[in-house]
């Protein structure tokens, strides 16, 4: 799934169930999810139900890993990359066939990034500064170059829903509301309820299958 964006500088807080969203007048995806049924180097899209998989990829012309959320099953590591710096977190209860919520925050003024997993904060880590240039945002694939070069073995297989992205750092209270599926302020960069996207390959839009919480791995 691809999202069209104009050039911008970002102060990022990204939340996903695994989910993927976009700004302005898009499709209302409330109650819906993307299903990625197989490994592919073409299907693009993000709540997650997932192995070693690229969940969310934001690349700029200068940097392929401006914001990358990647799960390495061999290391049991959930690894956000911010400005090409890995801030990996291991020993998380990121198990198959269960929904998980993932939120990554990044303050470009301080360079500090942080992962929130199922509503709980992880340690803050230093990850660099501002994103420049027009971003290319893709769910379900890792961009090995700007907007292209996908590896089927790094593709997402599973279900995603409720992706939001802000151009500012949201509060811990808002993150916890999101994780608990309570009322929260939707993203102003990516908004699941107004999603402007293009699905490519074998990606399906289906009714969301979720009890509580978000991101399910296969």
């Amino acid at each position: 799934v691809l999202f069209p964006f104009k050039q911008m500088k970002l102060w990022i807080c990204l939340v996903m169930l695994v989910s993927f969203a976009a700004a302005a007048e898009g499709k209302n995806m409330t109650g819906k999810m993307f299903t990625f049924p197989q490994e592919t180097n073409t299907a693009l899209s993000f709540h997650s139900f997932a192995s070693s998989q690229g969940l969310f990829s934001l690349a700029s012309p200068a940097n392929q890993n401006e914001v990358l959320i990647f799960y390495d099953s061999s290391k049991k590591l959930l690894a956000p990359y911010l400005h090409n710096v890995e801030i990996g977190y291991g020993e998380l209860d990121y198990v198959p066939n269960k929904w998980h919520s993932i939120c990554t925050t990044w303050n470009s003024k301080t360079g500090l990034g942080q992962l929130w997993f199922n509503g709980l904060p992880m340690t803050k880590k230093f990850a660099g500064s501002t994103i420049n240039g027009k971003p290319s945002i893709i769910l379900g694939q890792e961009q090995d170059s700007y907007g292209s070069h996908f590896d089927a073995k790094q593709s997402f297989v599973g279900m995603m829903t409720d992706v939001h992205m802000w151009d500012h750092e949201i509060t811990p209270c808002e993150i916890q509301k999101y994780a608990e599926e309570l009322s929260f302020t939707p993203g102003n960069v990516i908004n699941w309820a107004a999603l402007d996207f293009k699905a490519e390959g074998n990606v399906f839009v289906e009714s969301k299958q979720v009890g509580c919480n978000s991101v399910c791995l296969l």
Side-chain angles (χ1 to χ4, degrees):
V1 175
L2 306 111
F3 298 91
F5 286 98
K6 298 180 180 178
Q7 181 170 328
M8 59 183 172
K9 292 184 177 180
L10 292 178
W11 203 17
I12 293 175
C13 182
L14 171 68
V15 159
M16 39 222 202
L17 272 188
V18 179
S19 46
F20 201 10
E25 303 168 358
K27 181 177 180 179
N28 187 343
M29 293 285 286
T30 302
K32 300 294 184 181
M33 66 183 184
F34 289 125
T35 296
F36 301 82
Q38 65 187 98
E39 291 183 349
T40 173
N41 62 0
T42 59
L44 315 171
S45 182
F46 225 44
H47 264 150
S48 105
F49 199 23
S51 56
S52 292
Q53 298 180 338
L55 301 176
F56 178 95
S57 175
L58 186 154
S60 72
N63 194 336
Q64 68 192 43
N65 292 331
E66 292 286 11
V67 181
L68 170 67
I69 313 299
F70 188 85
Y71 178 66
D72 187 335
S73 61
S74 65
K75 298 178 181 178
K76 305 297 182 185
L77 187 72
L78 189 58
Y81 286 76
L82 301 171
H83 211 57
N84 216 35
V85 175
E86 178 185 326
I87 56 169
Y89 298 88
E91 305 302 322
L92 299 176
D93 187 29
Y94 193 52
V95 297
N97 301 310
K98 180 180 178 181
W99 286 99
H100 303 282
S101 67
I102 299 169
C103 176
T104 299
T105 68
W106 178 38
N107 186 322
S108 63
K109 290 184 177 179
T110 65
L112 293 178
Q114 185 177 28
L115 175 73
W116 288 67
F117 182 73
N118 290 338
L120 298 176
M122 306 294 108
T123 304
K124 289 186 177 183
K125 299 183 180 182
F126 184 76
S129 57
T130 307
I131 297 171
N132 292 301
K134 182 180 179 180
S136 169
I137 299 180
I138 292 176
L139 292 179
Q141 296 281 354
E142 177 186 355
Q143 301 175 74
D144 287 331
S145 64
Y146 180 64
S148 63
H149 287 85
F150 308 115
D151 184 344
K153 294 300 181 182
Q154 296 177 338
S155 64
F156 177 76
V157 178
M159 300 179 291
M160 295 185 186
T161 187
D162 301 336
V163 177
H164 291 265
M165 184 174 179
W166 294 258
D167 63 1
H168 58 276
E169 195 171 13
I170 62 174
T171 66
C173 184
E174 285 288 318
I175 295 171
Q176 289 169 345
K177 286 180 179 178
Y178 171 86
E180 296 170 9
E181 300 193 72
L182 303 174
S183 178
F184 66 94
T185 304
N188 63 342
V189 177
I190 293 176
N191 180 352
W192 194 248
L195 191 61
D196 185 8
F197 69 95
K198 178 184 178 182
E200 295 189 359
N202 202 20
V203 180
F204 299 93
V205 175
E206 299 186 301
S207 295
K208 183 165 66 175
Q209 296 178 339
V210 60
C212 302
N213 294 340
S214 338
V215 180
C216 218
L217 315 183
L218 293 177

